[in-house]
Amino acid sequence: MLRLGHRKNRDKRVSSHVALTARAFGAMGIYFDVADERLFKNIEDVVERWGGKFFVKHVGSWRKIVKEFDGLKVHLTMYGIPLPEKIGEIKKARKILVIVGSEKVPADVFKLADLNISIGNQPHSEVSALAVFLDRVLDGKVFSMEFENAKIRIVPSERGKRVAELGKEVE
Ligand SMILES: C[S@@+](CC[C@H](N)C(=O)[O-])C[C@H]1O[C@@H](n2cnc3c(N)ncnc32)[C@H](O)[C@@H]1O
């Protein structure tokens, strides 16, 4: 994942949701082009408690990451080609870098990306766009994800909250 244009004050909640959605739906990690240590720490705390190997990295130059990425670069934008038209090509890729914006993205993203893909051609959110993209491309992996070394795990239940913590079960 590459999240462009995080604005520390305005975007901290959405950026956090982008990262948590990426992690929960099967992405390996997230790059931010803006350093926000508090945000990074929050995401890392979630990984520490809930497990898995999700990485969070600040990149000095997002253009360098995009140019040097050795896989398929997919920019999610409402102006792009509808996902169903390109899903076959995307699923063949060994590695994918998914790029989402916050406000307006720099114009050259459209050229640097291999594909500009829309999740419907109406404006909505980077969180919803990412969730639909990952769900379709990874065929519902969100429902079978395993997070190794988790300190905490939810036990699905019809009602209430059941949480298992390091061997012991807490109601
Ligand atoms: C709140 S939107 C900002 C849209 C902005 N007004 C623009 O012109 O790009 C933030 C991000 O959500 C994603 N997004 C929003 N709607 C989308 C859609 N229909 N399809 C794909 N991605 C979308 C894009 O990655 C976009 O950069």
Side-chain angles (χ1 to χ4, degrees):
M1 269 298 311
L2 170 62
R3 160 73 154 159
L4 294 178
H6 164 74
R7 293 159 297 176
K8 278 189 186 178
N9 292 326
R10 291 184 59 182
D11 290 332
K12 56 177 188 259
R13 214 171 131 77
V14 178
S15 289
S16 161
H17 290 181
V18 168
L20 296 183
T21 300
R23 173 184 172 272
F25 281 67
M28 291 173 66
I30 187 162
Y31 299 106
F32 285 90
D33 66 339
V34 177
D36 183 341
E37 292 310 328
R38 232 173 118 180
L39 169 71
F40 299 175
K41 172 85 170 60
N42 285 343
I43 301 163
E44 281 160 2
D45 285 349
V46 170
V47 176
E48 171 72 20
R49 287 184 78 212
W50 293 84
K53 280 192 176 143
F54 192 79
F55 70 79
V56 187
K57 282 186 192 155
H58 170 236
V59 289
S61 162
W62 67 265
R63 287 180 181 86
K64 189 165 184 281
I65 285 284
V66 174
K67 283 180 187 161
E68 291 178 358
F69 184 75
D70 65 336
L72 188 71
K73 296 165 262 192
V74 180
H75 170 219
L76 298 183
T77 166
M78 64 181 174
Y79 303 103
I81 302 298
L83 178 61
E85 290 183 29
K86 296 285 182 182
I87 189 101
E89 184 182 336
I90 294 171
K91 279 187 172 185
K92 280 188 201 140
R94 196 179 49 85
K95 273 173 78 179
I96 301 173
L97 180 69
V98 189
I99 307 163
V100 295
S102 50
E103 219 182 6
K104 203 172 172 187
V105 295
D108 52 339
V109 179
F110 286 83
K111 289 209 176 85
L112 291 172
D114 297 311
L115 296 171
N116 291 291
I117 293 295
S118 59
I119 307 295
N121 294 111
Q122 300 295 315
H124 47 90
S125 148
E126 48 274 50
V127 180
S128 49
L130 178 63
V132 171
F133 178 85
L134 290 176
D135 182 56
R136 292 282 177 112
V137 171
L138 299 178
D139 293 319
K141 191 176 173 184
V142 63
F143 297 108
S144 58
M145 289 285 294
E146 304 260 341
F147 292 90
E148 62 192 38
N149 299 323
K151 296 198 166 106
I152 189 168
R153 184 175 63 83
I154 287 173
V155 182
S157 61
E158 295 277 359
R159 284 187 184 75
K161 301 176 183 177
R162 286 186 68 199
V163 182
E165 261 185 82
L166 278 175
K168 57 182 179 184
E169 215 172 274
V170 182
E171 289 290 331

